[in-house]
Amino acid sequence: EKWRGVKVARYSPQKTFLDQGVMASPPGNVENFEVGAGVPYSGLNDVTFAYGFPVYVSRPMFLYGDSQLRTNVTIKVDNEVMTNPSEAQYETYLLVEPSSGLTISGHKRLQASFSVYKCVSNQQGCNPGLFGGSLANTLAPFVPPGVIIPQYYMDETAEATDKQVDQLKMAMTLNHSAA
C-alpha cells in the first residue's frame, strides 16, 4: 500500500478484538443476557464497572459488531442516516513506513454507548441500587431498558505533514543511493 507516494505497512486491530464470543448474546450466555448483566452483544466492551451505570465501548457505528446492534435502529451523523458503516470511514489503523519504522498516519476510532439498566427489583441476582435502576426509570421513563444507545464517537488522528513526507522520501532516496 502507498500513502502520498510512500510505501507503508497497514496495522489495525483484528475485526474481532471487541467480540466476547460465547459470552455475548444468546445462546451463549442466556442467563446474563436476560438479567442485563455481562456483555449483551459481540462488538461491545462493557466498562460499566468503571462508571457505575451501563457504558459500552465499541467501534463507531458498531462496525464489525453484532448485526442486532443496527437492526430496527436509526443512527444519524450530521443529519445523515447511517445504514452500513464504512470500514474506510470508521476503522482504527496505523500506517507505518517499514524501513524506518515511522508511523506516518493513523486513526484511533471508538464509540461510547449507554443504556438504561435492565432490572426488576425482585429478579434473582439483580441489585437495582447497584446501578440506580429505579432512578434511571424515574429520569427516563420512556427509554426502554437494555437498549444500547450510541452517545458519541471519537477519532483521534495524526498524520505526517507534506514537509515531513518530503523529508522522509529524501532520506529514503539518500539511504538507497548510499547502499
Side-chain angles (χ1 to χ4, degrees), residues 9-94:
R10 184 183 196 89
Y11 296 95
S12 60
Q14 293 181 339
K15 291 181 181 183
T16 58
F17 91 105
L18 289 173
D19 282 357
Q20 302 301 314
V22 296
M23 295 300 293
S25 59
N29 195 337
V30 175
E31 183 179 320
N32 279 352
F33 184 79
E34 288 175 352
V35 299
V39 180
Y41 301 101
S42 289
L44 295 176
N45 190 348
D46 187 352
V47 291
T48 299
F49 65 89
Y51 296 98
F53 65 97
V55 179
Y56 304 95
V57 175
S58 68
R59 293 178 190 242
M61 306 304 141
F62 303 116
L63 181 67
Y64 309 130
D66 193 308
S67 62
Q68 291 183 24
L69 291 166
R70 291 184 308 276
T71 303
N72 298 322
V73 174
T74 302
I75 300 175
K76 288 186 175 185
V77 175
D78 297 327
N79 285 327
E80 248 184 74
V81 175
M82 304 304 294
T83 52
N84 289 320
S86 159
E87 191 172 288
Q89 193 174 8
Y90 298 115
E91 183 182 38
T92 292
Y93 66 88
L94 292 175

